[in-house]
Amino acid sequence: KAGVTQTPRYLIKTRGQQVTLSCSPISGHRSVSWYQQTPGQGLQFLFEYFSETQRNKGNFPGRFSGRQFSNSRSEMNVSTLELGDSALYLCASSLRRPGTGGDETQYFGPGTRLLVL
Amino acid sequence: QKEVEQDPGPLSVPEGAIVSLNCTYSNSAFQYFMWYRQYSRKGPELLMYTYSSGNKEDGRFTAQVDKSSKYISLFIRDSQPSDSATYLCAIRNAGKSTFGDGTTLTVKP
C-alpha cells in the first residue's frame, strides 16, 4: 500500500507570496492532519480534516488554511508568507473517525520543505 | 510549561548499548502515546503506539507508559548505527497530537 505522498517536496517563495501544498493520504484513510516543523518550535499541529470538514485546529494565524476533497486528498494554503513560515510542512493520515473512534495511529508523509526569502 | 517535555539530548552511545529516551506530560486527558523516529530530511516514522500503562515490546524496542507519573519511555536494546536519528514522543487526544522537541541519538560503530 502506498504511503502518504506530499507535493511539492521543496519550494522557495518570497515574502508576501502565497503557497499551496498538497497531500494524498494512504488509501482508505479519511483523516488528514497538517503539522509545521521548525528547529525552534519543533512539530506543531496546524489542523485536522475529516470528510471535507475541519475537525481540529492548532494555534496558527488565519493565514494558514486548508481544505479536503471528497477523495480525502488535502491541501493547505499559506497566504502573505513571512520569513518565519520557513519550515518543513508535514501531512499525516489515519483511520481516525472523529466522534466515533477508529485507529488513531498517524502515518506521516515526507514533508514539503518551504523556504521563504 | 510545555504540555510534553522530552529529555533534550543529544545522546551518543556505542553500538550494542541500551538506550533510554524519556518524556513527561502534564495533561492527564492524553490517551494515546507514540514514539516516532525521524531521519534527517525525512518525515517521522511511527515506531510504537500504546494507550495503556505498562510495557509494549516490538523487537528491540520497548515502550513504557506510567500514567500515574505522566511519564513515558522508549528503550532500544542492542542499538545499531542505523538507529541514529531523532526520536520524538507524541501524546494524542481527540485528534490532536502534541510532540516533544525530540532527542537526537547517535550510535557509534
Side-chain angles (χ1 to χ4, degrees):
Chain A
K1 188 185 276 190
V4 178
T5 58
Q6 292 186 245
T7 56
R9 293 293 311 278
Y10 303 93
L11 209 47
I12 300 176
K13 292 284 188 180
T14 56
R15 277 182 301 174
Q17 286 187 309
Q18 75 165 18
V19 67
T20 299
L21 313 179
S22 181
C23 170
S24 291
I26 291 172
S27 178
H29 288 195
R30 294 169 59 190
S31 175
V32 174
S33 298
W34 287 89
Y35 295 84
Q36 181 196 66
Q37 187 175 34
T38 60
Q41 299 296 319
L43 248 167
Q44 293 187 289
F45 173 75
L46 280 157
F47 27 66
E48 178 197 29
Y49 283 86
F50 178 84
S51 288
E52 303 175 64
T53 303
Q54 188 179 92
R55 303 299 179 130
N56 278 295
K57 190 177 187 307
N59 298 322
F60 278 81
R63 299 185 298 107
F64 292 82
S65 62
R67 60 176 175 168
Q68 187 180 33
F69 303 94
S70 58
N71 62 358
S72 296
R73 192 177 68 84
S74 177
E75 288 181 348
M76 69 162 280
N77 184 77
V78 188
S79 62
T80 319
L81 284 166
E82 300 177 359
L83 296 179
D85 296 334
S86 295
L88 180 66
Y89 289 90
L90 292 158
C91 167
S93 73
S94 76
L95 288 168
R96 171 178 138 80
R97 302 175 70 87
T100 60
D103 190 348
E104 293 266 353
T105 311
Q106 284 190 308
Y107 297 88
F108 281 84
T112 294
R113 191 164 295 277
L114 172 65
L115 177 61
V116 182
L117 300 175
Chain B
Q1 184 191 4
K2 290 186 176 182
E3 284 189 298
V4 179
E5 299 273 5
Q6 183 168 358
D7 288 353
L11 212 50
S12 180
V13 301
E15 184 175 353
I18 296 175
V19 176
S20 172
L21 303 166
N22 307 293
C23 289
T24 58
Y25 62 96
S26 57
N27 188 344
S28 57
F30 285 134
Q31 296 177 306
Y32 304 95
F33 308 91
M34 291 155 285
W35 284 95
Y36 287 88
R37 176 175 62 195
Q38 187 173 24
Y39 292 112
S40 181
R41 311 194 79 77
K42 301 280 189 181
E45 170 196 6
L46 181 69
L47 280 177
M48 302 286 286
Y49 169 91
T50 184
Y51 55 86
S52 57
S53 280
N55 292 350
K56 181 177 181 179
E57 194 173 313
D58 184 1
R60 297 185 296 111
F61 298 91
T62 300
Q64 189 175 79
V65 175
D66 182 346
K67 286 188 176 182
S68 62
S69 302
K70 300 190 186 71
Y71 193 86
I72 66 171
S73 298
L74 178 71
F75 298 96
I76 307 174
R77 289 185 301 279
D78 187 26
S79 55
Q80 303 294 310
S82 58
D83 295 329
S84 298
T86 296
Y87 290 80
L88 298 152
C89 64
I91 323 286
R92 187 163 172 80
N93 184 49
K96 180 183 171 184
S97 291
T98 303
F99 286 80
D101 288 339
T103 301
T104 298
L105 170 68
T106 301
V107 181
K108 297 182 177 179

